[in-house]
Amino acid sequence: MKDLFDTPDSLDAPRDVVARDAFSREVMAENAVLLRGKALAFETDVLAALNAIIARAPFRRMITPGGFIMSVAMTNCGAAGWITDRTGYRYGRLDPDSGLPWPALPDCFVDLAGAAAREAGYPDFVPDACLINRYEPGARLSLHQDKNERDLSEPIVSVSLGLPATFQFGGLTRTAPVGRYVLRHGDVAVWGGRSRLCYHGVTALKDGEHEKLGRMRLNLTFRRAL
Ligand code: SIN
Ligand code: FE2
């Protein structure tokens, strides 16, 4: 299979990482932070591992319990994967498309999630599930809570790759005020504690071309699901 992310690094490619406040930390809410550029040190390994995962468990657009086809395409790796169909939202140990277990969590994924969680104040976080979202131009994810995980004392670690997106981070009710944050390639959001059940979403992806990933955004969401 042709690699999805095999764009070679050009020596004179423009880099905006230094110009913007790379590696800064922003507080979105109590117990919710943005770690700018935190994933960049893991980038090469993470993109290679993603190619291998996608070859075994391709992206697919799932159906919500209400019968809508999601605009975001998804796949998973880890002991369990987040799935939705007409019967509901849940975690499953098998990929429903192949009937096989989801691909294992690569070491570099566990290392990245652990390093980000540690920096955000969750030193013991060990993910067992990673939902991988693919946004193409126009794809969006409406405000929702992550609440299918068994132990809500464990945080969520969310890694952005590819095209920039506007992330909405609100409060504990759907109607609470919502903050908007542009998430770029390499940014990591971590939320837990008093923010663990905050509503969040992603507005429709603007078209563009990312140097490494092309016309898409990927998001890796690490959870302790089981
Ligand atoms: C999610 O809430 O599952 C994904 C968030 C994102 O794509 O940044
Ligand atoms: Fe979510």
Side-chain angles (χ1 to χ4, degrees):
M1 183 193 127
K2 184 186 181 309
D3 278 0
L4 280 173
F5 322 120
D6 59 359
T7 330
D9 236 334
S10 153
L11 281 177
D12 53 5
R15 307 218 161 252
D16 73 332
V17 242
V18 179
R20 70 181 161 97
D21 47 356
F23 313 117
S24 67
R25 177 193 178 101
E26 278 168 53
V27 175
M28 297 188 291
E30 194 179 353
N31 307 130
V33 291
L34 282 182
L35 307 173
R36 298 291 188 186
K38 183 70 188 175
L40 292 175
F42 300 83
E43 178 189 41
T44 308
D45 290 348
V46 164
L47 293 184
L50 270 170
N51 271 315
I53 291 164
I54 291 159
R56 286 188 45 203
F59 284 112
R60 77 291 307 266
R61 287 171 65 194
M62 298 190 216
I63 299 180
T64 67
F68 293 101
I69 299 176
M70 299 188 76
S71 60
V72 178
M74 300 177 168
T75 188
N76 289 279
C77 62
W82 186 86
I83 49 185
T84 172
D85 59 19
R86 290 305 298 237
T87 69
Y89 304 123
R90 63 193 178 279
Y91 283 92
R93 291 180 181 274
L94 304 181
D95 175 346
D97 281 9
S98 66
L100 299 172
W102 297 103
L105 270 174
D107 288 345
C108 61
F109 279 30
V110 177
D111 293 347
L112 164 56
R118 208 173 312 121
E119 193 167 324
Y122 306 95
D124 302 321
F125 181 62
V126 180
D128 60 9
C130 176
L131 170 66
I132 305 168
N133 289 163
R134 184 188 69 196
Y135 299 75
E136 290 178 313
R140 58 188 288 274
L141 198 60
S142 51
L143 282 179
H144 66 277
Q145 297 169 294
D146 288 4
K147 57 179 182 188
N148 300 126
E149 300 73 31
R150 183 172 299 176
D151 180 358
L152 296 177
S153 71
E154 298 278 3
I156 300 286
V157 175
S158 173
V159 174
S160 291
L161 297 170
L163 289 176
T166 300
F167 183 59
Q168 303 168 299
F169 197 83
L172 296 174
T173 60
R174 194 182 287 280
T175 52
V178 169
R180 294 160 71 90
Y181 305 86
V182 177
L183 299 185
R184 296 183 182 83
H185 184 74
D187 290 347
V188 182
V190 184
W191 63 94
R194 296 167 78 88
S195 281
R196 178 61 178 76
L197 287 176
C198 282
Y199 278 85
H200 58 281
V202 177
T203 64
L205 192 78
K206 283 208 201 98
D207 203 354
E209 181 75 24
H210 184 267
E211 166 196 359
K212 298 255 167 71
L213 274 76
R215 254 181 115 198
M216 70 171 97
R217 168 178 187 257
L218 298 181
N219 172 258
L220 316 182
T221 311
F222 294 97
R223 290 97 181 250
R224 185 89 201 168
L226 302 177

